[in-house]
Amino acid sequence: MSIDSLVTESDRISVNPDFAKHSHVNGPELYEESQSDRLGFWKRQAQNLDWIQPFDEVLEWDRPYAKWFLNGKLNASANCLDRHLDGPRRHKAALIWEGEQGDIKTVTYAQLHRQVSQLAYQLHHRFKVKKGDRVTLYMPMVIELVVAVLACARVGAIHSVVFGGFSAQSLKDRLIDSDSKLVITADGGFRRGSVVNLKGIVDTALKDNDTSVKDVIVVRYAQNKVEMTANRDVEYDTVIRDDQSHFEPVPMDSEDPLFILYTSGTTGKPKGIVHSTGGYLTHAQYSTKVVFDLKDSDVYWCSADVGWITGHTYLVYGPLLNGATVMMAEGAPDYPDKDRFWSIINRHQVSIFYTAPTAIRAFMKWGDAYPNRHDLSSLRLLGTVGEPINPEAWRWYYDVIGQSRCPVVDTWWQTETGGIMISTLPGYHDQKPGQAGCPLPGIEAAILGNDGEHIKMGGGLLSLTQPWPSMLRGVWGDPDRFNEVYWSRFETYFAGDGAIKDEDGYYKVLGRVDDVLNVAGHRIGTMEVESCLVDFESVAEAAVVGINDEIKGQAIMAYVTLKEGAKQEDDLASQLSAHVAQSIGPIAKPKFIVITPELPKTRSGKIMRRILKNIAEGAESGDTSTLANPDIVRDLEAQVSAMKVPAT
């Protein structure tokens, strides 16, 4: 299958020579090293970790199963904490935390190590958590969440972090699938001034006593009144009050699972993606250092929740493996006001900022006045993650937030890949707005056609063609699903995304192939149409879906939100259609355009295109419990119904 690219990108920003001069990677050496001896390259990256027992073989590959760094033993918690304690990092800030209520705490590496050891000791001795047991974490963005993650790793337990926006049923499904024996939660977390009753949701998930959970540890954070179940629930503060402050990290085989992280699946049943210890840590440490050009002096902020893979790899493991100072914040970017992120950057002198295109488009919509209130001169590098970023949002981010001096790393990767696969390296690659960049050194990727043939230049299916250390090791309890979803289409790993490769080897990721539109025989990536719509002066965000069309096979429906203060003119839909026709071509003109004040989004900011597709087709919207704004669904259903869109 080929994908037509109907937009020509000509913008290019050269590497800043001053930035490159002090960058970790400013030449082709890493690429040359990885291409001449790929396994030797990964061996050297793995040796940046502390191994309790050295590995004796780099890779054993029996498609689709990989074993990396065979017979090596190490511990993730020890690599994130213990190895930093003998030098100047001992008293360095590991975490700077700011709550939605304005509370600020700083925890050094020595203090974080003590808290992790205390909890690990109690998990092992009091709650009998042992190597291989599953522990579910359902918590707000507080320091105790990071402590819990690392304490699980310290005792060898497999942690399963469930995002605090998921419903009781979603949590229950994950508890049953993972067979978790213990839950760590909190009395609540803050979201736009309200308390989310996390403990109440846990209680609902456990009320039928049909899970394997025996104990629940409750962090007292929001001072929310909760019910405590006798012989099951215990307060966190009483757990770690014991004077025992050291627990020796449990040696883990390189291939022992480190965590399960659930991601949505097409069947409706969530997939428990399994990541190993040695391979995952190797790529987390390496990619964090080279993509973000991370240095000891940086204050690094990834705005993702730990409930997502981005929070795992680039808020917890990657930065702490490198001994970084990590900014961690609870709450929404628009509470108490729409300048909260810029206030945090100014207050804590953040130098590296990593966030999602959805957030960036929201910032654009709110206008330049909010970031302009604050001094953002501490920033030296910006990053984006989660979905393709359209060129206009990229330029706004670069010009307004980065003040045209900070490189932007547009990273492509997935829960399944464990870490960044494609990006520019900021001291070496020129930047092309809207294009992710090149595969990292050590990563092999290709564009494939329908029959698996390699497409040297142009659009098709994005595949990773050689095993890499942080690749998923399976779907928890479901090997058949692992094979079918990721390995049945090609001999190589199929990411499920479409992409276009240009003459310089840069990849422009178009999003899920499921979202590719087939209009009159042309396969068009939704991202290109959305980018074109956002390029219109008054548009802040856009999402497009395909609807049935008797003549063209599919037609395009666009949902559009406007920038704050923008006037909705009577002929706006006609103007937008004309703009798309002029920029891309008449074939990409939306047949229907819905102007809406909001798009349905999860609490993490992800646009729920599945719901938009259902609305367009007149189908049931499905579960809206994880949406930040479920009321908008009813409004959109009424608006689309009034437009008399043909139902499927």
Side-chain angles (χ1 to χ4, degrees):
M1 174 175 63
S2 64
I3 300 174
D4 298 316
S5 178
L6 304 178
V7 176
T8 302
E9 304 288 356
S10 57
D11 203 3
R12 187 175 187 135
I13 298 170
S14 299
V15 175
N16 182 324
D18 290 334
F19 187 98
K21 184 178 179 181
H22 303 287
S23 180
H24 290 307
V25 181
N26 52 22
E29 293 80 11
L30 270 187
Y31 280 101
E32 292 168 353
E33 178 187 348
S34 66
Q35 287 161 5
S36 64
D37 181 7
R38 197 174 70 88
L39 294 184
F41 170 83
W42 283 119
K43 178 180 180 180
R44 286 183 284 278
Q45 298 307 320
Q47 288 167 341
N48 289 322
L49 301 175
D50 282 1
W51 294 83
I52 299 168
Q53 174 180 304
F55 55 89
D56 52 30
E57 186 178 349
V58 176
L59 172 65
E60 179 182 291
W61 175 235
D62 182 15
R63 179 190 179 277
Y65 298 103
K67 294 181 180 179
W68 282 88
F69 314 122
L70 278 74
N71 302 316
K73 297 190 185 303
L74 74 170
N75 183 277
S77 171
N79 271 277
C80 288
L81 300 174
D82 300 51
R83 66 179 180 153
H84 302 310
L85 300 183
D86 292 334
R89 288 176 180 162
R90 179 179 181 83
H91 300 297
K92 177 184 177 180
L95 296 174
I96 302 171
W97 173 84
E98 182 168 319
E100 188 181 82
Q101 303 298 296
D103 304 346
I104 295 173
K105 295 179 183 177
T106 299
V107 178
T108 67
Y109 273 91
Q111 291 167 334
L112 185 59
H113 173 263
R114 179 179 175 84
Q115 291 182 37
V116 169
S117 287
Q118 285 179 315
L119 182 57
Y121 181 91
Q122 295 297 329
L123 288 177
H124 182 74
H125 289 282
R126 178 171 176 174
F127 299 100
K128 310 305 179 188
V129 174
K130 61 186 184 301
K131 180 178 176 177
D133 285 342
R134 276 75 63 202
V135 175
T136 293
L137 313 179
Y138 186 70
M139 301 175 71
M141 283 285 284
V142 290
I143 289 171
E144 288 84 355
L145 174 53
V146 177
V147 172
V149 164
L150 295 176
C152 288
R154 199 167 188 84
V155 302
I158 302 168
H159 60 75
S160 169
V161 184
V162 177
F163 174 59
F166 280 119
S167 65
Q169 185 61 52
S170 296
L171 173 61
K172 181 177 180 176
D173 292 343
R174 288 155 173 78
L175 290 171
I176 291 173
D177 189 74
S178 64
D179 198 28
S180 287
K181 69 182 297 181
L182 183 143
V183 173
I184 305 178
T185 188
D187 58 0
F190 292 99
R191 186 72 179 179
R192 293 191 174 92
S194 299
V195 175
V196 180
N197 186 1
L198 299 173
K199 173 60 164 59
I201 294 170
V202 171
D203 289 343
T204 301
L206 298 179
K207 69 178 180 180
D208 293 330
N209 295 317
D210 52 358
T211 74
S212 54
V213 173
K214 304 300 181 188
D215 299 285
V216 177
I217 301 174
V218 183
V219 176
R220 287 290 187 181
Y221 167 60
Q223 305 309 311
N224 185 39
K225 186 176 180 180
V226 296
E227 297 292 328
M228 297 292 283
T229 300
N231 301 318
R232 187 196 72 184
D233 299 348
V234 60
E235 292 192 14
Y236 179 90
D237 285 347
T238 66
V239 169
I240 63 168
R241 192 175 294 160
D242 192 286
D243 287 336
Q244 293 288 345
S245 60
H246 184 72
F247 181 84
E248 199 65 27
V250 173
M252 303 293 288
D253 187 87
S254 178
E255 280 299 312
D256 281 337
L258 177 60
F259 63 85
I260 302 168
L261 186 58
Y262 286 89
T263 184
S264 58
T266 54
T267 65
K269 180 186 177 184
K271 303 190 297 283
I273 302 301
V274 179
H275 279 291
S276 70
T277 301
Y280 171 81
L281 294 177
T282 294
H283 190 81
Q285 190 274 334
Y286 155 69
S287 59
T288 303
K289 182 175 181 178
V290 300
V291 173
F292 300 107
D293 191 44
L294 188 63
K295 296 181 170 65
D296 248 11
S297 57
D298 282 314
V299 176
Y300 166 94
W301 184 19
C302 167
S303 69
D305 192 286
V306 179
W308 309 114
I309 187 63
T310 304
H312 278 58
T313 308
Y314 297 112
L315 192 155
V316 179
Y317 285 112
L320 295 180
L321 286 165
N322 283 284
T325 292
V326 181
M327 181 70 219
M328 181 180 183
E330 177 202 31
D334 58 350
Y335 184 87
D337 204 349
K338 294 183 176 68
D339 64 342
R340 179 158 189 252
F341 276 19
W342 321 126
S343 172
I344 288 173
I345 289 171
N346 186 5
R347 183 161 45 255
H348 299 289
Q349 294 295 284
V350 172
S351 55
I352 299 171
F353 180 52
Y354 191 38
T355 195
T358 298
I360 295 166
R361 287 189 289 267
F363 302 147
M364 283 179 63
K365 177 181 178 180
W366 300 335
D368 298 1
Y370 291 103
N372 288 344
R373 292 177 183 175
H374 300 280
D375 180 2
L376 304 181
S377 61
S378 62
L379 289 170
R380 68 178 192 88
L381 185 140
L382 303 172
T384 76
V385 59
E387 60 182 326
I389 183 169
N390 53 291
E392 191 186 15
W394 192 105
R395 286 295 328 202
W396 183 89
Y397 195 36
Y398 177 77
D399 291 336
V400 176
I401 306 305
Q403 299 166 359
S404 303
R405 57 177 178 76
C406 298
V408 177
V409 289
D410 173 6
T411 61
W412 176 83
W413 58 295
Q414 303 171 313
T415 302
E416 292 86 345
T417 71
I420 295 165
M421 299 286 103
I422 295 174
S423 175
T424 51
L425 298 180
Y428 176 57
H429 291 112
D430 291 349
Q431 301 165 88
K432 298 183 179 183
Q435 299 193 49
C438 302
L440 297 191
I443 302 300
E444 299 291 332
I447 302 293
L448 304 181
N450 230 13
D451 298 324
E453 71 278 13
H454 282 241
I455 297 172
K456 290 185 178 180
M457 197 170 80
L461 307 174
L462 177 55
S463 177
L464 300 170
T465 57
Q466 293 290 343
W468 65 98
S470 64
M471 63 195 300
L472 75 164
R473 296 304 195 263
V475 174
W476 182 259
D478 199 343
D480 291 341
R481 195 175 186 188
F482 172 59
N483 280 280
E484 165 139 15
V485 173
Y486 303 107
W487 299 96
S488 62
R489 181 102 186 233
F490 303 118
E491 282 298 307
T492 55
Y493 172 86
F494 175 45
D497 282 348
I500 296 167
K501 184 178 179 182
D502 72 9
E503 66 277 4
D504 296 322
Y506 280 51
Y507 287 73
K508 177 180 182 178
V509 180
L510 302 175
R512 302 293 300 172
V513 173
D514 300 342
D515 296 333
V516 171
L517 307 169
N518 194 343
V519 182
H522 293 272
R523 297 191 63 81
I524 304 169
T526 56
M527 180 217 172
E528 290 202 316
V529 183
E530 291 170 0
S531 296
C532 181
L533 288 164
V534 173
D535 188 50
F536 193 81
E537 185 178 2
S538 61
V539 173
E541 286 189 293
V544 304
V545 298
I547 57 174
N548 284 345
D549 186 270
E550 290 183 2
I551 298 173
K552 296 181 178 180
Q554 273 192 315
I556 297 173
M557 170 174 275
Y559 299 84
V560 169
T561 68
L562 302 183
K563 292 177 181 175
E564 212 155 277
K567 183 181 178 183
Q568 183 175 335
E569 300 176 27
D570 293 340
D571 64 341
L572 179 59
S574 299
Q575 291 183 49
L576 289 170
S577 289
H579 177 69
V580 172
Q582 183 177 3
S583 301
I584 299 180
I587 194 69
K589 283 175 58 174
K591 186 172 184 178
F592 297 96
I593 296 178
V594 180
I595 311 297
T596 174
E598 292 182 272
L599 295 171
K601 295 179 182 178
T602 64
R603 292 176 193 173
S604 65
K606 180 180 178 182
I607 298 171
M608 292 295 285
R609 288 173 174 81
R610 169 185 57 80
I611 289 177
L612 292 175
K613 177 93 170 160
N614 288 343
I615 292 170
E617 294 178 340
E620 287 293 322
S621 299
D623 181 20
T624 61
S625 64
T626 62
L627 293 183
N629 51 349
D631 291 343
I632 195 64
V633 175
R634 307 285 89 81
D635 295 342
L636 288 171
E637 286 175 338
Q639 193 172 345
V640 170
S641 176
M643 297 172 76
K644 298 188 175 2
V645 177
T648 301

